[in-house]
Amino acid sequence: AEAPALPVAPPWPAPPAELVLPARLGPRSEWFTAAALRTFLTATYTVSVHSNRIGLRTEGPALERASEGELPSEGMVLGAVQVPPDGRPVVFLHDHPTTGGYPVIAVVAEEALAAAAQAVPGTPVRFTRG
């Protein structure tokens, strides 16, 4: 008896050469200076070697806060972009925790997160209004 023919799977897509992440500002964007908001939406970051399933960490220009202090820890949605004290954005992925008291400057559109999860260290990252 002949073995049944198996369907041919399409090739697995390569990791993105550049990651463009559409993001909506908020819910804590008022915690950042106008210059920081401009930087967030115009600068090119790179994917950090410290990224994992919790979050895509970035290297690049720090975002300056307009407000000091910490927020109460709060739950966040998938794609939330938290800014810890070093000022470098972190995009929450599938295993994300609560915020830990750091402000969330924006939320990345969910359809862009699969590419974010596959991006390798050194990949350029840009946030755009989405």
Side-chain angles (χ1 to χ4, degrees):
E2 271 188 53
L6 297 175
V8 176
W12 193 260
E18 179 185 40
L19 196 56
V20 179
L21 300 176
R24 287 185 164 194
L25 293 178
R28 305 284 182 224
S29 55
E30 75 278 358
W31 276 61
F32 298 90
T33 64
L37 295 174
R38 273 193 308 280
T39 298
F40 177 70
L41 294 170
T42 61
T44 298
Y45 290 86
T46 57
V47 174
S48 167
V49 297
H50 301 290
S51 297
N52 54 32
R53 287 178 51 91
I54 293 171
L56 180 138
R57 294 183 175 276
T58 63
E59 301 287 336
L63 300 177
E64 183 183 10
R65 285 190 188 182
S67 300
E68 292 303 318
E70 289 191 11
L71 295 158
S73 186
E74 54 192 355
M76 273 298 115
V77 297
L78 183 66
V81 183
Q82 172 181 271
V83 182
D86 70 1
R88 273 58 179 203
V90 178
V91 180
F92 281 164
L93 299 174
H94 282 281
D95 289 351
H96 69 274
T98 59
T99 63
Y102 307 134
V104 171
I105 193 169
V107 177
V108 170
E110 190 169 346
E111 59 271 9
L113 295 177
Q118 294 176 41
V120 297
T123 301
V125 180
R126 288 186 304 112
F127 296 95
T128 61
R129 254 185 219 277

